[in-house]
Amino acid sequence: MSTRINTILKNHFSLSQAGLMKLEGYESTNYRVQCDSGAFVLKRYPDTPDTLALLEAENQILNRLDKLSGWEFPITIPNSKGLHLTREDGSIYRLLSFLEGNFLGDVGHTPALLRSLGRFLGQTDKSLLNSTEPAISAKESQWDLKNFRLNYKYLEFIPDPKDRSLVDYFFLQFDENVYPIGDQLRKSIIHNDANDWNVLTKKGLVSGIIDFGDMCHSWLINELAVALTYIMMDKKQPLEVARTVIGAYHEVVPLKVQELDVLYYLIAARLCTSVCNSAYTKTIKPESAYITMSEKPAWSLLRRLVGLSPVRVSDEFRSAAGFHESKKPKPAEQLKRRGQNLSSTLSLSYDRPIQMSRSAFQYMYDAEGNTFLDAYNNIMLAGHCHPSVVRAGQRTMAKLNTNTRYLYDELLSYSEKLLAKFPPQLNKVFLVNSGSAASDLAIRLATAFTGKNKVMALEHGYHGNTREGIAISHYKYSHKNGVGQHPLTLAAPMPKAFGSGFRDDGTAGDHFAEGSLTILAEHKNTIAAFVAEPVMGCGGQVPLAKGYLAKVYPEVRAQGGVCISDEVQVGFGRLGDHFWGYEMHDIVPDMVLLGKPMGNGHPIGAVVTTSEIAKKFEKGPEFFSSFGGNPVSCAIGEAVLNVIEAEKLQEHARVVGNHLKALLANLQGAFPEIADIRGSGLFLGVELSDTNGHPNTKLAAHIKNNLRQKFILVGTDGPHDNVLKIKPPLCFTKDDAAILTNAINAILKDP
């Protein structure tokens, strides 16, 4: 090929004995040409009508830009016939001047350089604002951010499922926040690729730009979005860097607030476009350093970006251009509105309630623009706004939503996949709207099956907000404002090994089982059901003492009762070592209650039971739930199961949970106030005590509220509200664990 290129240079440009160096490119084959006449760039393209039209249009743009003083742009060199495009042997050749200078990626990014970049892009865009080139306007490229969705087909080539979900999240946010206003954004011809290896500098200032192959007629703000994407990479303060460029650009081409408000999503879209194309191209050119050179910093910036509130980024960008921040709702006014319309029985978390506005994975963003690390909201098991879950709901809601009196695949598919997670004897599922509804139904099933009416439940347990659920929830009925114990409810002591005086090697389990067996004996043959959480959430994140359930279950069954495992909080892999909490106790219940994380925030619950129990229930009145098992809920539930499997969230919970427990154990060695660390996976409790070993409720509240001030969310619970409960979305990372424990360490050091 080099011989052929030299022939072209000699015959058409009178350049002989040229030295050639091949350069990488996407849509053209490029060569640096060095000869006595100077340095040039020769580009070779396939000869098609579309390519010819685009190159002629690009030449017109280069001629227009050449009139700008102070900066350099490539100049097309005419051939011996005075033509700027040479067509031969099915190819188009174009010779361009070679621009000298240091690439932006090879120099330090000083404030002066950043300002010059902003001014340069502004002047370039200003000169092109009124230009029209039909071939460029008709061009459709996946590198044009207004065509961002064209890159979605490359998502599957990203090998890591968690990475795919991150990119898909930004595709989803683009659909929600950018496309709806796309027709309102200004359009112009833009360079569209002001990256580190296209922008040139001299003496610490931008001197010019090369490679107009991605030029397009697009939203004007995309010029800044692309440039900022690369300039923000590997920066300690990426927003400060962006502000400098935005401010300088705005001085030349005044920006609009609406453009600045979508810039966050456009930058994310450019990063996603980059990593999607890199993933795909690596399957074709696995050795290409040019294709993948920016992949690592792109992923790094994308992960940083999801940790930044879109509200904060928008406000920063507005401020850089001299605009006011977005209007925020005032907390006092919001509290007043809440008080006018809602009952005060609905509590608020923290001394200073938080106004939440958005969320993503393990992050929640408040209305002020702060990002909170969520170590608390276990309902969002797959992560806040997980795109697979959101899309499942959107897609199904747009197609069908009905009830179980009809046949539809979503119900059948989800039921099959859910029951596959259980042993063979647990083979019937009743789908409802919540864990509370599941508890209520389970008691109905138990009484119908056994013909008995008493329920034994554990002290400090919680099983839902229905009348039946409250009746068996010691956590609620024994509250100072509670209704008191129902005559048909039996309360067994919570089998908590810590503080009992017995070791959790089966000894504590035997001790507590003996007490429960005594209660069963006193009410022999009247027990319809025994219900217990395998790890008690409201009781203070307490794993039931080892061996306890193995002793109690047989006696309940011997008296004709059924055993119910309440997995509403701990199920679906959260515990790490086990998918269901009952598995950690080496028992199989007769019923399992599901809810909370089942729909990742969508209201769905279930009772899973045996054919025998279900058959007996069929002899009574028809069971029907208007919304239980509807197609949307089933699609969402199935999406959650798929995410757990694809992203290996159970194993992730085990690894990260063990790491977090180790970090907490290190704190315990330094602070005797940490009395106990318990739980498994990402369902952990940290019990706090004072110097006398008494429950330290005040310290627990202090840590919770001070973590809130540090933008970290945890809760407190337990009979004395002295247990920090840590149960984050399962995308919570080891880095997040370090952030959490470092913050607790700082609070305990300076209480």
Side-chain angles (χ1 to χ4, degrees), residues 20-26 28-33 40-43 98 103 210 290:
L20 300 178
M21 182 175 71
K22 191 172 183 180
L23 307 172
E24 291 241 31
Y26 276 101
S28 61
T29 305
N30 306 325
Y31 299 89
R32 177 175 175 174
V33 179
F40 306 91
V41 174
L42 182 70
K43 289 177 172 278
F98 182 86
F103 284 119
I210 61 172
Y290 174 77

Side-chain angles (χ1 to χ4, degrees), residues 216-250:
C216 58
H217 185 264
S218 189
W219 300 322
L220 177 65
I221 191 63
N222 289 346
E223 188 81 279
L224 258 183
V226 172
L228 292 178
T229 298
Y230 297 97
I231 210 73
M232 290 167 70
M233 288 181 185
D234 292 326
K235 298 297 192 302
K236 291 182 179 180
Q237 300 293 335
L239 294 186
E240 284 300 312
V241 170
R243 283 174 57 96
T244 303
V245 178
I246 290 169
Y249 183 97
H250 180 70

Side-chain angles (χ1 to χ4, degrees), residues 245-532:
V245 178
I246 290 169
Y249 183 97
H250 180 70
E251 291 174 2
V252 181
V253 179
L255 293 161
K256 298 180 182 295
V257 168
Q258 192 175 45
E259 293 170 327
L260 292 163
D261 284 348
V262 297
L263 196 46
Y264 169 88
Y265 300 105
L266 294 170
I267 293 168
R270 179 66 180 202
L271 290 165
C272 292
T273 299
S274 178
V275 297
C276 280
N277 280 271
S278 291
Y280 170 68
T281 306
K282 280 195 294 187
T283 66
I284 302 170
K285 301 179 181 179
E287 304 303 322
S288 174
Y290 174 77
I291 299 297
T292 60
M293 70 171 70
S294 62
E295 188 175 22
K296 185 175 179 180
W299 278 115
S300 178
L301 181 56
L302 199 59
R303 293 184 183 105
R304 287 192 71 177
L305 210 58
V306 78
L308 294 173
S309 163
V311 174
R312 180 196 167 191
V313 176
S314 173
D315 284 345
E316 291 275 1
F317 291 170
R318 284 185 179 207
S319 173
F323 293 109
H324 293 298
E325 292 184 353
S326 56
K327 188 177 180 180
K328 313 292 194 304
K330 296 181 179 179
E333 292 178 0
Q334 297 290 76
L335 285 169
K336 182 180 178 181
R337 290 174 62 194
R338 180 181 170 108
Q340 288 172 339
N341 300 304
L342 302 176
S343 168
S344 61
T345 192
L346 296 169
S347 64
L348 282 162
S349 294
Y350 306 104
D351 294 340
R352 288 178 54 219
I354 307 169
Q355 297 188 76
M356 291 300 184
S357 65
R358 307 187 70 86
S359 58
F361 300 104
Q362 68 269 46
Y363 302 110
M364 299 185 76
Y365 315 118
D366 73 5
E368 300 297 318
N370 298 304
T371 298
F372 288 83
L373 176 62
D374 185 3
Y376 177 35
N377 289 288
N378 65 317
I379 293 175
M380 303 300 175
L381 182 134
H384 291 276
C385 298
H386 193 289
S388 297
V389 180
V390 173
R391 291 186 190 283
Q394 289 177 330
R395 184 171 55 247
T396 311
M397 187 174 288
K399 182 179 71 172
L400 173 71
N401 204 6
T402 185
N403 59 62
T404 53
R405 289 198 170 109
Y406 302 93
L407 294 172
Y408 44 88
D409 192 63
E410 289 85 358
L411 174 63
L412 305 178
S413 178
Y414 180 50
S415 298
E416 289 166 355
K417 289 187 178 180
L418 180 63
L419 289 173
K421 296 291 185 181
F422 291 93
Q425 62 267 46
L426 292 171
N427 55 13
K428 287 289 186 289
V429 59
F430 293 83
L431 291 165
V432 289
N433 310 127
S434 67
S436 294
S439 285
D440 195 272
L441 175 59
I443 301 306
R444 286 180 59 195
L445 285 162
T447 55
F449 180 70
T450 64
K452 308 174 193 301
N453 57 12
K454 290 184 179 179
V455 177
M456 185 169 80
L458 298 178
E459 291 179 348
H460 310 297
Y462 175 64
H463 305 288
N465 61 19
T466 66
R467 185 170 181 176
E468 194 72 62
I470 296 295
I472 61 173
S473 297
H474 179 269
Y475 175 77
K476 287 293 185 182
Y477 69 68
S478 67
H479 189 273
K480 63 180 179 180
N481 295 323
V483 297
Q485 187 169 340
H486 193 280
L488 296 178
T489 298
L490 310 177
M494 178 170 61
K496 177 184 175 184
F498 176 76
S500 69
F502 298 95
R503 293 167 59 188
D504 195 17
D505 57 0
T507 308
D510 287 346
H511 166 75
F512 287 106
E514 190 175 318
S516 297
L517 295 179
T518 299
I519 295 172
L520 287 170
E522 291 172 353
H523 298 270
K524 191 170 185 179
N525 297 326
T526 65
I527 309 294
F530 166 61
V531 57

Side-chain angles (χ1 to χ4, degrees), residues 624-697:
F624 176 71
S625 170
S626 296
F627 302 110
N630 71 78
V632 175
S633 295
C634 289
I636 288 172
E638 186 168 336
V640 171
L641 289 178
N642 291 341
V643 169
I644 292 170
E645 183 176 347
E647 299 186 9
K648 297 181 173 58
L649 292 184
Q650 181 181 343
E651 173 63 10
H652 183 81
R654 185 189 69 81
V655 172
V656 176
N658 287 343
H659 179 73
L660 177 52
K661 282 186 80 172
L663 294 178
L664 290 168
N666 291 339
L667 288 183
Q668 187 177 28
F671 302 102
E673 301 97 319
I674 298 178
D676 190 32
I677 301 164
R678 52 180 176 260
S680 63
L682 287 172
F683 195 85
L684 303 178
V686 179
E687 184 156 348
L688 302 165
S689 65
D690 60 20
T691 54
N692 297 315
H694 298 141
N696 201 332
T697 304

